Amino acid sequence: MDTMRDRFISTASQLLDEEPRLAVVLADISADGFAPARRAHPDRVINVGIREQLLVGAGAGMALTGMRPIVHTFASFLVERPFEQVKLDFGHQGVGGILVSAAGSYDWPAGGFTHMAPGDVALLDTLDGWTVHVPGHPDEAEALLREAVTGDDRVYVRLSLQENRVARPVSGGSGFSVVREGRRGTVIAVGPLLDNVLAATEGLDVTVLYATTVRPFDAVGVRRAAGAAATADVVVVEPYLAGTSSAAAGEALRDLPHRVLGLGVGRAELRRYGQMEDHVTAHGLDPQGLRERITGFLRP
Amino acid sequence: MTNTTTAPAHDRQAAPAPLPSPDFLDLPRLISLMTGAEKHAPAAHSTLDALWVLYNRVLRVTPDTVDEPGRDRFLLSKGHGPMAYYAVLAAHGFFDEGLLPGFGSYDSPLGHHPDRLLVPGAEIGSGSLGHGLPLAVGTVLGLRAQGLTDPRVWVLIGDAELDEGSNHEAIAHAGPAGLDQLHTLVIDNASATHGWPGGIASRFASAGWDAVTVDGRDHEALYEAFTTPHPGRPLAVVARVEPKN
């Protein structure tokens, strides 16, 4: 089975054959994977070297000429290091593009904190107009990427090595999907954390929503899931900084007395190596950790 | 009922009356129309002659072609002190000089740093230093990818702006990539804190650019530098003007 990043490379390489407006801009990361596409389209697959400010600025410059750029590297180097370029070269210039990251929050724990970006989505939340996709499966990553390529807007696609066993139908425009229905509360599982959330909520009388597109936040879907009850309890389980979507969830529920629990990656740096599973557990995002915190939060 | 509400200034983009041939001697009057607490007056005047020569004699872009894919692009990266820029754009009819007195005011499209979504003829919004050259690299790459190898892309930076590392990422890439559509104009008023030992042009030359240094007040020297052939290599023109301090 290929990873989301493998699928991104194969899909984008194919789309380059089909979409003359599409360009891929790289900063050495994944350059080997794109080598065949670069031979086929030397003017539309650009590797600027290990230069992430240029990476983002050059992608935006291509957009200024009417191209549709995909800009790709690890999340730390795509969103955090050149953040002002993301803010100004795309947002302030008023052009669109697709940022595709890899490595996420804890994909390579042996690499340490330098290659982790649990704050990427929270950072993008300080900007206007970014759609954020967090696929939970390579098939979903492919579907969301294909959709993004046809648009003109600003899109962030966050790829991870963590994934769910089964792909689900996804579309950026369709909002959160209902996976399970219940009455004691709503649990929103973002992208690759769905399997763990389903295991954690087994036998609990809760609604589980699956979110692969978290910005815009599906306020209507969340409000609908909260139902006609007089109060609402909502848990958001995200594979990045805990609480990133809590404000959006609160806004969705502003006409109801509500409580929101934001679960995700802890703010404190986890100065440990090991495997991805170790870090998922350490952040309490494994089924047992999730179940304890979800049942502790929900009212009987 | 007729709506008689006056449109904000930036909505009034009616073509200005046909202009007489732009005249360099008219620029001081245009600049004087811009008043207010402008903080970058020396920066503004340092670019005046180079901008004039570019717009008057080099760039192939007019108010009628600002949206043409094949136009030349000028990216003002050093968005500080845009008065000379606004004056040159007004002199060439990109917008009416009647906008100039509103400089920096709430309803004016003309800020103390330019915004491409507000200023007719402005290719980028700038102010934060070090963004224009990477954007210019991308603009060349985007044009090239569409088979548009004729349009030339110019970006103006300051010698102190050259301190920003993002510029060096762009310089280091553009040379080996052979982006000969790319032109960087460095206005050198010796304002970089630590200076550039060995000279600014050497930084570009060592990265595979053609680079020349000229008197930034000498119009003929500027024109000659701007039009120097540089096949297969990007071109940097360092225009020296009087030191800021």
Side-chain angles (χ1 to χ4, degrees):
Chain A
M1 174 78 159
D2 56 355
T3 64
M4 290 189 205
R5 186 171 154 202
D6 295 332
R7 187 70 67 86
F8 156 61
I9 293 169
S10 60
T11 303
S13 296
Q14 185 190 340
L15 288 168
L16 281 161
D17 296 334
E18 301 166 4
E19 302 276 349
R21 211 165 63 96
L22 188 65
V24 172
V25 192
L26 305 168
D28 277 351
I29 300 298
S30 303
D32 288 347
F34 275 105
R38 193 179 179 196
R39 282 192 291 274
H41 306 286
D43 288 339
R44 290 193 289 130
V45 180
I46 308 293
N47 180 10
V48 300
I50 307 171
R51 301 185 176 107
E52 287 83 10
Q53 295 184 72
L54 175 63
L55 171 77
V56 176
M62 294 187 88
L64 281 170
T65 70
M67 302 287 289
R68 182 70 167 155
I70 294 176
V71 179
H72 167 68
T73 184
F74 291 152
S76 328
F77 314 135
L78 182 63
V79 177
E80 295 177 331
R81 180 190 286 256
F83 183 69
E84 194 191 65
Q85 275 75 15
V86 174
K87 171 188 158 192
L88 295 181
D89 297 354
F90 282 102
H92 181 57
Q93 305 301 341
V95 294
I98 306 167
L99 305 185
V100 179
S101 75
S105 300
Y106 38 57
D107 281 15
W108 184 31
F113 193 64
T114 58
H115 284 60
M116 301 179 184
D120 56 348
V121 178
L123 267 174
L124 285 176
D125 260 349
T126 65
L127 307 179
D128 184 40
W130 284 88
T131 294
V132 177
H133 297 309
V134 189
H137 188 279
D139 291 356
E140 299 171 3
E142 175 173 347
L144 292 165
L145 180 69
R146 286 182 177 280
E147 197 173 293
V149 164
T150 63
D152 281 309
D153 51 347
R154 293 187 282 280
V155 180
Y156 180 54
V157 186
R158 188 183 206 266
L159 306 181
S160 176
L161 288 173
Q162 190 180 23
E163 59 185 63
N164 304 310
R165 282 186 298 274
V166 180
R168 303 177 59 85
V170 293
S171 162
S174 63
F176 304 164
S177 58
V178 180
V179 181
R180 188 183 282 168
E181 289 192 277
R183 290 166 297 180
R184 280 181 63 198
T186 300
V187 181
I188 302 168
V190 174
L193 288 171
L194 177 63
D195 280 357
N196 286 4
V197 166
L198 287 175
T201 56
E202 188 66 43
L204 297 181
D205 185 18
V206 295
T207 291
V208 174
L209 299 181
Y210 180 46
T212 53
T213 298
V214 291
R215 300 290 182 279
F217 192 82
D218 181 13
V220 172
V222 173
R223 184 64 185 81
R224 188 187 303 123
T231 64
D233 290 341
V234 171
V235 183
V236 189
V237 185
E238 303 177 280
Y240 36 81
L241 204 60
T244 297
S245 293
S246 292
E251 179 69 13
L253 299 164
R254 68 182 182 275
D255 65 334
L256 272 184
H258 62 268
R259 298 188 304 144
V260 175
L261 173 64
L263 301 180
V265 175
R267 187 174 293 268
E269 179 182 337
L270 180 60
R271 207 174 284 270
R272 296 295 189 108
Y273 299 109
Q275 302 294 319
M276 186 164 71
E277 292 71 26
D278 300 323
H279 284 245
V280 170
T281 302
H283 292 297
L285 297 173
D286 60 313
Q288 186 185 339
L290 288 173
R291 187 173 184 92
E292 285 170 9
R293 291 192 288 171
I294 291 169
T295 53
F297 172 74
L298 293 175
R299 289 174 277 220
Chain B
M1 189 177 118
T2 305
N3 186 342
T4 56
T5 306
T6 305
H10 58 270
D11 287 340
R12 280 187 259 120
Q13 303 292 333
L19 292 165
S21 293
D23 186 344
F24 182 73
L25 298 177
D26 197 32
L27 294 182
R29 180 187 67 80
L30 293 171
I31 289 175
S32 74
L33 295 175
M34 288 170 270
T35 55
E38 215 286 328
K39 295 187 177 100
H40 303 299
H45 294 281
S46 69
T47 61
L48 191 61
D49 296 272
L51 280 173
W52 176 258
V53 174
L54 267 182
Y55 270 91
N56 209 37
R57 301 174 66 180
V58 177
L59 293 174
R60 296 166 300 179
V61 59
T62 69
D64 294 330
T65 64
V66 285
D67 295 320
E68 295 286 327
R71 73 188 182 278
D72 285 349
R73 271 78 166 170
F74 173 77
L75 281 58
L76 182 75
S77 183
K78 188 178 76 80
H80 300 45
M83 291 188 296
Y85 183 48
Y86 293 153
V88 169
L89 287 174
H92 288 82
F94 288 90
F95 55 79
D96 193 278
E97 68 175 62
L99 290 177
L100 296 174
F103 180 59
S105 66
Y106 188 74
D107 290 325
S108 173
L110 309 181
H112 293 189
H113 299 129
D115 183 334
R116 71 179 290 267
L117 300 186
L118 299 179
V119 183
E123 296 283 358
I124 62 168
S126 54
S128 184
L129 300 175
H131 289 260
L133 189 45
L135 284 168
V137 166
T139 301
V140 170
L141 293 170
L143 291 169
R144 191 188 251 199
Q146 295 171 76
L148 296 166
T149 54
D150 192 42
R152 295 168 299 211
V153 178
W154 282 85
V155 57
L156 185 154
I157 68 175
D159 70 298
E161 181 180 9
L162 196 61
D163 289 356
E164 295 283 3
S166 53
N167 289 318
H168 296 273
E169 294 187 2
I171 291 166
H173 176 73
L179 300 185
D180 55 8
Q181 288 173 266
L182 179 64
H183 305 73
T184 301
L185 167 59
V186 185
I187 301 295
D188 179 9
N189 64 350
S191 58
T193 296
H194 297 289
W196 287 99
I200 290 170
S202 70
R203 307 300 162 125
F204 288 89
S206 66
W209 292 54
D210 278 359
V212 293
T213 302
V214 295
D215 177 350
R217 298 302 184 196
D218 182 334
H219 290 194
E220 287 308 316
L222 286 165
Y223 177 75
E224 190 180 335
F226 290 163
T227 53
T228 304
H230 50 99
R233 292 155 69 95
L235 174 67
V237 175
V238 181
R240 281 197 176 135
V241 297
E242 57 281 7
K244 178 182 171 191
N245 298 309

